[in-house]
Coordinates of all heavy atoms in Angstrom, one line a residue:
M1444 N 52.0 -30.3 -10.2 CA 50.9 -29.3 -10.2 C 50.4 -29.1 -8.7 O 50.2 -30.0 -8.0 CB 49.8 -29.8 -11.1 CG 48.6 -28.9 -11.3 SD 47.4 -29.6 -12.4 CE 47.4 -28.3 -13.5
E1445 N 50.3 -27.8 -8.4 CA 49.9 -27.5 -7.0 C 48.4 -27.6 -6.8 O 47.6 -27.1 -7.6 CB 50.4 -26.1 -6.7 CG 50.3 -25.7 -5.2 CD 50.9 -24.4 -4.9 OE1 51.9 -24.1 -5.5 OE2 50.3 -23.6 -4.1
E1446 N 48.0 -28.2 -5.7 CA 46.6 -28.4 -5.4 C 46.0 -27.1 -4.9 O 46.6 -26.4 -4.0 CB 46.4 -29.5 -4.4 CG 45.0 -29.9 -4.2 CD 44.9 -31.1 -3.3 OE1 45.7 -32.1 -3.4 OE2 44.0 -31.1 -2.5
V1447 N 44.8 -26.7 -5.4 CA 44.1 -25.5 -4.9 C 43.3 -25.8 -3.7 O 42.6 -26.8 -3.7 CB 43.2 -25.0 -6.0 CG1 42.4 -23.7 -5.6 CG2 44.0 -24.6 -7.3
P1448 N 43.5 -25.1 -2.6 CA 42.7 -25.4 -1.4 C 41.3 -25.1 -1.6 O 40.9 -24.2 -2.3 CB 43.3 -24.4 -0.3 CG 43.9 -23.3 -1.1 CD 44.4 -23.9 -2.4
A1449 N 40.4 -25.9 -0.9 CA 39.0 -25.7 -0.9 C 38.6 -24.4 -0.3 O 39.3 -24.0 0.7 CB 38.3 -26.8 -0.2
K1450 N 37.6 -23.7 -0.8 CA 37.1 -22.4 -0.3 C 36.0 -22.7 0.6 O 35.0 -23.4 0.3 CB 36.6 -21.5 -1.4 CG 37.7 -20.6 -2.0 CD 37.0 -19.6 -2.8 CE 37.3 -19.7 -4.3 NZ 36.7 -18.7 -5.1
I1451 N 36.1 -22.2 1.9 CA 35.0 -22.3 2.8 C 34.5 -20.9 3.3 O 35.3 -20.1 3.7 CB 35.4 -23.1 4.1 CG1 35.9 -24.5 3.6 CG2 34.3 -23.2 5.1 CD1 36.4 -25.4 4.8
L1452 N 33.2 -20.6 3.1 CA 32.6 -19.4 3.6 C 32.1 -19.6 5.0 O 31.2 -20.5 5.2 CB 31.5 -18.9 2.6 CG 30.7 -17.7 3.0 CD1 31.6 -16.5 3.3 CD2 29.6 -17.4 2.0
V1453 N 32.6 -18.9 6.0 CA 32.1 -19.0 7.3 C 31.2 -17.8 7.6 O 31.6 -16.6 7.4 CB 33.3 -18.9 8.3 CG1 32.8 -18.9 9.8 CG2 34.2 -20.1 8.1
V1454 N 29.9 -18.1 8.0 CA 28.9 -17.0 8.2 C 28.4 -17.1 9.6 O 27.8 -18.1 10.1 CB 27.7 -17.2 7.2 CG1 26.8 -16.0 7.4 CG2 28.2 -17.3 5.8
D1455 N 28.7 -16.0 10.4 CA 28.2 -15.9 11.8 C 28.3 -14.5 12.2 O 29.2 -13.8 11.8 CB 29.2 -16.8 12.7 CG 28.6 -17.1 14.0 OD1 28.0 -16.2 14.7 OD2 28.7 -18.2 14.5
D1456 N 27.3 -14.1 13.0 CA 27.3 -12.7 13.5 C 28.2 -12.5 14.7 O 28.4 -11.3 15.1 CB 25.8 -12.2 13.8 CG 25.2 -13.1 14.9 OD1 25.3 -14.3 14.8 OD2 24.6 -12.5 15.8
N1457 N 28.8 -13.6 15.2 CA 29.7 -13.5 16.3 C 31.1 -13.5 15.8 O 31.6 -14.5 15.3 CB 29.4 -14.6 17.3 CG 30.3 -14.6 18.5 OD1 31.5 -14.3 18.4 ND2 29.7 -14.8 19.7
Q1458 N 31.8 -12.4 15.9 CA 33.1 -12.2 15.4 C 34.1 -13.3 16.0 O 35.0 -13.8 15.3 CB 33.7 -10.8 15.6 CG 35.1 -10.6 15.0 CD 35.1 -10.5 13.5 OE1 34.3 -9.7 13.0 NE2 35.9 -11.2 12.9
D1459 N 34.0 -13.6 17.3 CA 34.8 -14.6 17.9 C 34.7 -15.9 17.2 O 35.7 -16.6 17.0 CB 34.5 -14.7 19.4 CG 35.0 -13.4 20.2 OD1 35.9 -12.7 19.7 OD2 34.4 -13.2 21.3
N1460 N 33.4 -16.3 16.9 CA 33.2 -17.6 16.3 C 33.9 -17.6 14.9 O 34.5 -18.6 14.5 CB 31.7 -17.9 16.1 CG 31.0 -18.2 17.5 OD1 31.7 -18.4 18.5 ND2 29.7 -18.1 17.5
V1461 N 33.7 -16.6 14.1 CA 34.3 -16.5 12.8 C 35.8 -16.6 12.9 O 36.4 -17.3 12.1 CB 33.8 -15.2 12.1 CG1 34.6 -14.9 10.8 CG2 32.3 -15.2 11.9
D1462 N 36.4 -15.8 13.8 CA 37.8 -15.8 14.0 C 38.4 -17.2 14.4 O 39.4 -17.7 13.8 CB 38.3 -14.8 15.0 CG 38.1 -13.4 14.5 OD1 37.9 -13.2 13.3 OD2 38.1 -12.5 15.4
L1463 N 37.7 -17.9 15.3 CA 38.1 -19.2 15.7 C 38.0 -20.2 14.5 O 39.0 -21.0 14.3 CB 37.2 -19.7 16.8 CG 37.4 -21.1 17.3 CD1 38.8 -21.2 18.0 CD2 36.4 -21.5 18.3
L1464 N 36.9 -20.2 13.8 CA 36.8 -21.1 12.6 C 37.9 -20.7 11.5 O 38.5 -21.6 10.9 CB 35.4 -21.1 12.0 CG 34.4 -21.9 12.8 CD1 33.0 -21.6 12.3 CD2 34.7 -23.3 12.7
H1465 N 38.1 -19.5 11.3 CA 39.1 -19.0 10.4 C 40.5 -19.5 10.8 O 41.2 -20.1 9.9 CB 39.1 -17.5 10.3 CG 40.1 -17.0 9.3 ND1 41.4 -16.7 9.6 CD2 40.0 -16.8 7.9 CE1 42.1 -16.3 8.6 NE2 41.3 -16.3 7.5
F1466 N 40.8 -19.4 12.0 CA 42.1 -19.9 12.5 C 42.2 -21.4 12.3 O 43.2 -21.9 11.8 CB 42.3 -19.5 14.0 CG 43.5 -20.0 14.6 CD1 44.8 -19.5 14.4 CD2 43.5 -21.2 15.4 CE1 45.9 -20.0 14.9 CE2 44.6 -21.7 16.0 CZ 45.9 -21.1 15.7
A1467 N 41.2 -22.1 12.8 CA 41.3 -23.6 12.7 C 41.3 -24.1 11.3 O 42.1 -25.0 10.9 CB 40.1 -24.2 13.4
L1468 N 40.5 -23.6 10.4 CA 40.4 -24.0 9.0 C 41.6 -23.6 8.2 O 42.1 -24.3 7.3 CB 39.1 -23.6 8.4 CG 37.9 -24.2 9.0 CD1 36.6 -23.5 8.4 CD2 37.8 -25.7 8.7
S1469 N 42.1 -22.4 8.4 CA 43.3 -21.9 7.8 C 44.5 -22.8 8.1 O 45.4 -23.1 7.3 CB 43.6 -20.5 8.1 OG 42.6 -19.6 7.6
D1470 N 44.6 -23.2 9.4 CA 45.7 -24.1 9.8 C 45.7 -25.4 9.1 O 46.7 -26.1 8.9 CB 45.5 -24.3 11.3 CG 46.8 -24.8 12.0 OD1 47.9 -24.3 11.6 OD2 46.7 -25.7 12.8
L1471 N 44.5 -25.8 8.6 CA 44.3 -27.0 7.8 C 44.5 -26.8 6.3 O 44.1 -27.6 5.5 CB 43.0 -27.7 8.1 CG 42.8 -28.2 9.6 CD1 41.4 -28.6 9.8 CD2 43.8 -29.3 9.9
H1472 N 44.9 -25.6 6.0 CA 45.2 -25.1 4.6 C 43.9 -25.0 3.7 O 44.0 -25.1 2.5 CB 46.2 -26.1 3.9 CG 47.4 -26.3 4.8 ND1 48.3 -25.3 4.9 CD2 47.8 -27.4 5.5 CE1 49.3 -25.8 5.7 NE2 49.0 -27.0 6.1
Y1473 N 42.8 -24.6 4.3 CA 41.6 -24.2 3.6 C 41.7 -22.7 3.3 O 42.3 -22.0 4.1 CB 40.3 -24.5 4.3 CG 40.1 -26.0 4.4 CD1 40.3 -26.7 5.6 CD2 39.6 -26.7 3.3 CE1 40.0 -28.0 5.7 CE2 39.3 -28.1 3.4 CZ 39.6 -28.7 4.6 OH 39.3 -30.1 4.7
H1474 N 41.1 -22.3 2.2 CA 41.0 -20.9 1.9 C 39.6 -20.4 2.6 O 38.6 -20.9 2.2 CB 40.9 -20.6 0.4 CG 40.7 -19.2 0.1 ND1 41.7 -18.2 0.1 CD2 39.6 -18.5 -0.3 CE1 41.2 -17.1 -0.2 NE2 39.9 -17.2 -0.5
V1475 N 39.7 -19.6 3.6 CA 38.5 -19.2 4.4 C 38.1 -17.8 4.0 O 38.9 -16.9 4.0 CB 38.8 -19.3 5.9 CG1 37.6 -18.9 6.7 CG2 39.3 -20.7 6.3
I1476 N 36.8 -17.6 3.8 CA 36.2 -16.4 3.5 C 35.2 -16.1 4.6 O 34.5 -17.0 5.1 CB 35.4 -16.4 2.2 CG1 36.4 -16.9 1.1 CG2 34.9 -15.0 1.8 CD1 35.6 -17.4 -0.2
K1477 N 35.1 -14.9 5.1 CA 34.2 -14.5 6.2 C 33.1 -13.7 5.8 O 33.2 -12.8 5.0 CB 35.0 -13.8 7.3 CG 36.3 -14.5 7.8 CD 37.0 -13.5 8.7 CE 38.4 -13.9 9.0 NZ 39.1 -13.0 9.8
A1478 N 31.9 -13.9 6.5 CA 30.8 -13.0 6.4 C 30.1 -12.9 7.8 O 30.0 -13.9 8.5 CB 29.8 -13.5 5.4
L1479 N 29.8 -11.7 8.2 CA 29.2 -11.4 9.5 C 27.7 -11.3 9.5 O 27.1 -11.0 10.6 CB 29.9 -10.2 10.1 CG 31.3 -10.4 10.5 CD1 31.9 -9.0 10.9 CD2 31.6 -11.5 11.5
N1480 N 27.1 -11.4 8.3 CA 25.6 -11.4 8.3 C 25.1 -12.1 7.0 O 25.9 -12.4 6.1 CB 25.1 -10.0 8.4 CG 25.6 -9.1 7.2 OD1 25.3 -9.4 6.1 ND2 26.3 -8.1 7.5
G1481 N 23.8 -12.4 7.0 CA 23.2 -13.1 5.9 C 23.3 -12.4 4.6 O 23.6 -13.0 3.5
K1482 N 23.0 -11.1 4.5 CA 23.1 -10.4 3.3 C 24.4 -10.4 2.6 O 24.5 -10.7 1.4 CB 22.6 -8.9 3.5 CG 21.2 -8.8 3.8 CD 20.8 -7.3 4.0 CE 19.3 -7.2 4.4 NZ 18.9 -5.9 4.6
S1483 N 25.5 -10.2 3.4 CA 26.8 -10.2 2.8 C 27.2 -11.7 2.4 O 27.9 -11.9 1.5 CB 27.9 -9.6 3.8 OG 28.0 -10.3 4.9
A1484 N 26.7 -12.6 3.2 CA 27.0 -14.0 2.8 C 26.5 -14.4 1.4 O 27.1 -15.1 0.7 CB 26.4 -15.0 3.9
I1485 N 25.3 -13.9 1.1 CA 24.7 -14.2 -0.2 C 25.5 -13.6 -1.3 O 25.8 -14.2 -2.3 CB 23.2 -13.7 -0.2 CG1 22.4 -14.6 0.7 CG2 22.6 -13.8 -1.6 CD1 21.0 -14.0 1.0
V1486 N 25.9 -12.3 -1.1 CA 26.7 -11.6 -2.1 C 28.1 -12.3 -2.3 O 28.5 -12.6 -3.4 CB 26.9 -10.1 -1.7 CG1 27.9 -9.5 -2.6 CG2 25.6 -9.4 -1.7
I1487 N 28.7 -12.7 -1.2 CA 30.0 -13.3 -1.2 C 29.9 -14.7 -1.8 O 30.8 -15.1 -2.7 CB 30.6 -13.4 0.2 CG1 31.0 -11.9 0.7 CG2 31.9 -14.3 0.2 CD1 31.3 -11.9 2.1
A1488 N 28.9 -15.4 -1.5 CA 28.7 -16.8 -2.1 C 28.6 -16.7 -3.6 O 29.2 -17.5 -4.3 CB 27.5 -17.5 -1.4
E1489 N 27.8 -15.8 -4.1 CA 27.7 -15.6 -5.5 C 29.0 -15.3 -6.2 O 29.3 -15.8 -7.2 CB 26.6 -14.6 -5.8 CG 26.2 -14.6 -7.3 CD 25.0 -13.9 -7.6 OE1 24.3 -13.4 -6.7 OE2 24.7 -13.8 -8.8
R1490 N 29.7 -14.3 -5.6 CA 30.9 -13.9 -6.2 C 32.1 -14.9 -6.1 O 32.8 -15.1 -7.0 CB 31.4 -12.5 -5.5 CG 32.6 -11.9 -6.1 CD 33.1 -10.7 -5.4 NE 33.5 -11.0 -4.0 CZ 33.1 -10.4 -2.9 NH1 32.3 -9.4 -3.0 NH2 33.6 -10.8 -1.7
E1491 N 32.2 -15.5 -4.9 CA 33.4 -16.3 -4.6 C 33.2 -17.8 -5.0 O 34.2 -18.6 -5.1 CB 33.8 -16.2 -3.2 CG 34.3 -14.8 -2.7 CD 35.6 -14.5 -3.3 OE1 36.4 -15.4 -3.6 OE2 35.8 -13.3 -3.6
Q1492 N 31.9 -18.2 -5.1 CA 31.6 -19.6 -5.4 C 32.4 -20.6 -4.4 O 33.2 -21.4 -4.9 CB 31.9 -20.0 -6.8 CG 31.0 -19.2 -7.8 CD 29.6 -19.7 -7.7 OE1 29.3 -20.8 -8.0 NE2 28.7 -18.8 -7.3
P1493 N 32.2 -20.5 -3.1 CA 32.9 -21.4 -2.2 C 32.5 -22.9 -2.4 O 31.4 -23.2 -2.9 CB 32.5 -20.9 -0.8 CG 31.1 -20.3 -1.0 CD 31.2 -19.7 -2.4
D1494 N 33.3 -23.8 -1.9 CA 33.0 -25.2 -2.0 C 32.0 -25.6 -0.9 O 31.3 -26.6 -1.0 CB 34.3 -26.0 -1.9 CG 35.3 -25.7 -3.0 OD1 34.9 -26.0 -4.2 OD2 36.3 -25.1 -2.7
L1495 N 32.1 -24.8 0.2 CA 31.3 -25.2 1.4 C 30.9 -23.9 2.1 O 31.8 -22.9 2.2 CB 32.1 -26.1 2.3 CG 31.4 -26.4 3.7 CD1 30.2 -27.2 3.5 CD2 32.4 -27.1 4.6
I1496 N 29.7 -23.8 2.7 CA 29.4 -22.7 3.5 C 29.0 -23.2 4.9 O 28.2 -24.1 5.0 CB 28.1 -21.9 3.0 CG1 28.5 -21.4 1.6 CG2 27.7 -20.8 3.9 CD1 27.3 -20.7 0.9
L1497 N 29.7 -22.7 6.0 CA 29.3 -23.0 7.3 C 28.5 -21.8 7.8 O 28.9 -20.7 7.9 CB 30.6 -23.1 8.2 CG 31.6 -24.2 7.8 CD1 32.8 -24.2 8.7 CD2 30.9 -25.6 7.8
L1498 N 27.2 -22.1 8.1 CA 26.2 -21.0 8.2 C 25.5 -21.1 9.6 O 25.0 -22.1 10.0 CB 25.1 -21.2 7.1 CG 24.0 -20.3 7.1 CD1 24.4 -18.8 7.0 CD2 23.0 -20.6 5.9
D1499 N 25.6 -20.0 10.4 CA 25.0 -19.9 11.6 C 23.5 -19.8 11.4 O 23.0 -19.2 10.4 CB 25.5 -18.6 12.3 CG 24.9 -18.4 13.7 OD1 24.5 -19.4 14.4 OD2 24.9 -17.3 14.2
I1500 N 22.7 -20.3 12.3 CA 21.2 -20.3 12.1 C 20.7 -19.0 12.7 O 19.9 -18.3 12.1 CB 20.5 -21.5 12.8 CG1 20.9 -22.7 12.0 CG2 19.0 -21.3 12.8 CD1 20.4 -24.0 12.7
Q1501 N 21.1 -18.6 13.9 CA 20.5 -17.5 14.7 C 21.4 -16.2 14.4 O 22.5 -16.1 15.0 CB 20.5 -17.8 16.1 CG 19.5 -18.9 16.5 CD 19.4 -19.1 18.0 OE1 20.1 -18.5 18.8 NE2 18.4 -19.9 18.4
M1502 N 20.9 -15.4 13.5 CA 21.5 -14.1 13.2 C 20.4 -13.1 13.1 O 19.3 -13.4 12.7 CB 22.3 -14.2 11.9 CG 23.5 -15.1 11.9 SD 24.4 -15.1 10.3 CE 23.2 -15.8 9.2
P1503 N 20.8 -11.8 13.5 CA 19.8 -10.7 13.3 C 19.5 -10.4 11.9 O 20.3 -10.7 11.0 CB 20.4 -9.6 14.1 CG 21.9 -9.9 14.0 CD 22.0 -11.3 14.0
E1504 N 18.4 -9.8 11.6 CA 17.9 -9.4 10.3 C 17.6 -10.5 9.4 O 16.5 -10.6 8.9 CB 19.0 -8.4 9.6 CG 19.2 -7.1 10.4 CD 20.2 -6.2 9.7 OE1 20.2 -6.2 8.5 OE2 20.9 -5.6 10.4
M1505 N 18.5 -11.4 9.1 CA 18.3 -12.5 8.2 C 18.9 -13.8 8.8 O 20.1 -13.9 8.9 CB 18.9 -12.3 6.8 CG 18.5 -13.4 5.8 SD 19.3 -13.2 4.2 CE 18.8 -11.5 3.7
D1506 N 18.0 -14.7 9.2 CA 18.6 -15.9 9.9 C 19.1 -16.9 8.9 O 19.0 -16.7 7.6 CB 17.6 -16.6 10.8 CG 16.4 -17.2 10.1 OD1 16.4 -17.4 8.8 OD2 15.4 -17.5 10.7
G1507 N 19.8 -17.9 9.3 CA 20.4 -18.9 8.5 C 19.5 -19.6 7.5 O 19.8 -20.0 6.4
F1508 N 18.2 -19.9 8.0 CA 17.2 -20.6 7.2 C 16.9 -19.7 6.0 O 16.7 -20.2 4.8 CB 16.0 -20.9 8.0 CG 16.3 -22.0 9.0 CD1 16.1 -21.6 10.4 CD2 16.7 -23.2 8.7 CE1 16.4 -22.6 11.4 CE2 17.0 -24.2 9.7 CZ 16.8 -23.9 11.0
E1509 N 16.7 -18.4 6.2 CA 16.4 -17.5 5.1 C 17.6 -17.4 4.1 O 17.4 -17.3 2.9 CB 16.0 -16.1 5.6 CG 15.7 -15.1 4.5 CD 14.5 -15.4 3.7 OE1 13.7 -16.3 4.1 OE2 14.4 -14.9 2.6
V1510 N 18.8 -17.3 4.6 CA 20.0 -17.3 3.8 C 20.0 -18.6 2.9 O 20.2 -18.5 1.7 CB 21.3 -17.2 4.6 CG1 22.5 -17.4 3.7 CG2 21.3 -15.9 5.4
L1511 N 19.8 -19.7 3.5 CA 19.8 -21.0 2.8 C 18.7 -21.0 1.7 O 18.9 -21.4 0.6 CB 19.6 -22.1 3.8 CG 19.6 -23.5 3.2 CD1 21.0 -23.8 2.6 CD2 19.2 -24.6 4.3
R1512 N 17.5 -20.5 2.0 CA 16.4 -20.4 1.1 C 16.8 -19.6 -0.1 O 16.6 -20.0 -1.3 CB 15.2 -19.9 1.7 CG 13.9 -19.9 0.8 CD 12.7 -19.3 1.5 NE 12.8 -17.8 1.6 CZ 12.7 -16.9 0.7 NH1 12.6 -17.3 -0.6 NH2 12.8 -15.6 0.9
R1513 N 17.4 -18.4 0.1 CA 17.9 -17.6 -1.0 C 19.0 -18.2 -1.8 O 19.0 -18.0 -3.0 CB 18.2 -16.2 -0.4 CG 17.0 -15.4 0.1 CD 17.4 -14.1 0.5 NE 16.3 -13.4 1.2 CZ 16.2 -12.1 1.4 NH1 17.2 -11.3 1.0 NH2 15.2 -11.6 2.0
L1514 N 19.9 -18.9 -1.1 CA 21.0 -19.5 -1.9 C 20.4 -20.6 -2.8 O 20.9 -20.7 -3.9 CB 22.0 -20.1 -0.9 CG 22.9 -19.2 -0.1 CD1 23.6 -20.0 1.0 CD2 23.8 -18.4 -1.0
H1515 N 19.4 -21.3 -2.3 CA 18.8 -22.4 -3.1 C 18.0 -21.8 -4.3 O 17.8 -22.5 -5.3 CB 18.0 -23.3 -2.3 CG 18.8 -24.3 -1.5 ND1 18.4 -25.0 -0.4 CD2 20.2 -24.6 -1.6 CE1 19.3 -25.7 0.1 NE2 20.4 -25.5 -0.6
Q1516 N 17.5 -20.6 -4.2 CA 16.7 -20.0 -5.3 C 17.6 -19.4 -6.4 O 17.1 -19.1 -7.5 CB 15.9 -18.9 -4.7 CG 14.7 -19.3 -3.9 CD 13.9 -18.2 -3.3 OE1 14.4 -17.1 -3.2 NE2 12.7 -18.5 -2.9
N1517 N 18.9 -19.2 -6.1 CA 19.8 -18.6 -7.1 C 20.6 -19.7 -7.8 O 21.3 -20.5 -7.2 CB 20.8 -17.7 -6.3 CG 21.8 -17.0 -7.2 OD1 22.0 -17.4 -8.4 ND2 22.3 -15.9 -6.7
P1518 N 20.5 -19.8 -9.2 CA 21.1 -20.8 -9.9 C 22.7 -20.8 -9.7 O 23.3 -21.9 -9.9 CB 20.8 -20.5 -11.4 CG 19.6 -19.6 -11.3 CD 19.6 -18.9 -10.0
R1519 N 23.2 -19.7 -9.4 CA 24.7 -19.6 -9.2 C 25.1 -20.2 -7.9 O 26.3 -20.5 -7.7 CB 25.2 -18.1 -9.3 CG 25.1 -17.7 -10.8 CD 25.9 -16.4 -11.1 NE 27.1 -16.1 -10.3 CZ 28.3 -16.5 -10.7 NH1 28.4 -17.3 -11.7 NH2 29.3 -16.2 -10.0
T1520 N 24.2 -20.3 -6.9 CA 24.6 -20.7 -5.6 C 23.8 -22.0 -5.1 O 24.1 -22.5 -4.0 CB 24.4 -19.6 -4.5 OG1 23.1 -19.2 -4.5 CG2 25.3 -18.4 -4.8
E1521 N 22.9 -22.4 -5.9 CA 22.0 -23.5 -5.4 C 22.7 -24.8 -5.1 O 22.2 -25.6 -4.4 CB 20.9 -23.7 -6.4 CG 21.3 -24.3 -7.7 CD 20.2 -24.4 -8.7 OE1 19.0 -24.2 -8.4 OE2 20.5 -24.8 -9.9
K1522 N 23.9 -25.1 -5.7 CA 24.5 -26.3 -5.6 C 25.7 -26.3 -4.6 O 26.4 -27.3 -4.4 CB 25.0 -26.8 -6.9 CG 23.9 -27.1 -7.9 CD 24.3 -27.8 -9.1 CE 23.2 -27.8 -10.1 NZ 22.5 -28.9 -10.3
I1523 N 25.9 -25.2 -3.9 CA 27.0 -25.0 -2.9 C 26.5 -25.8 -1.7 O 25.4 -25.6 -1.2 CB 27.2 -23.6 -2.6 CG1 27.7 -22.8 -3.8 CG2 28.3 -23.5 -1.4 CD1 27.9 -21.3 -3.6
A1524 N 27.4 -26.6 -1.2 CA 27.1 -27.4 0.1 C 27.1 -26.4 1.3 O 27.9 -25.5 1.4 CB 28.2 -28.4 0.3
V1525 N 26.1 -26.6 2.1 CA 25.9 -25.8 3.3 C 25.7 -26.7 4.5 O 24.9 -27.6 4.5 CB 24.6 -24.9 3.1 CG1 24.4 -24.0 4.4 CG2 24.7 -24.0 1.9
I1526 N 26.4 -26.3 5.6 CA 26.2 -26.9 6.9 C 25.7 -25.8 7.8 O 26.3 -24.8 8.0 CB 27.5 -27.5 7.4 CG1 28.0 -28.6 6.5 CG2 27.3 -28.0 8.9 CD1 29.4 -29.2 6.9
L1527 N 24.5 -26.1 8.4 CA 23.9 -25.1 9.4 C 24.4 -25.4 10.8 O 24.6 -26.6 11.2 CB 22.4 -25.2 9.3 CG 21.8 -24.7 8.1 CD1 20.3 -25.2 8.0 CD2 21.9 -23.3 7.9

């Protein structure tokens, strides 16, 4: 039986940071999903149900703390592990 790779959602408003993490984590055989802002991160997290979210703190419009607060308020995303 083939092992399913863990899903990691990378959230950062800096495209270079997202690309770097995508490259490094994909090389380690993780399934990487990208979001460039907090609003899309919340939508993607609910839809994709990642195993882990790597979340930037300083982002325009909605910072990482607000994203985390909203994820914890949603029963579908409240248990997803998040690293700020």
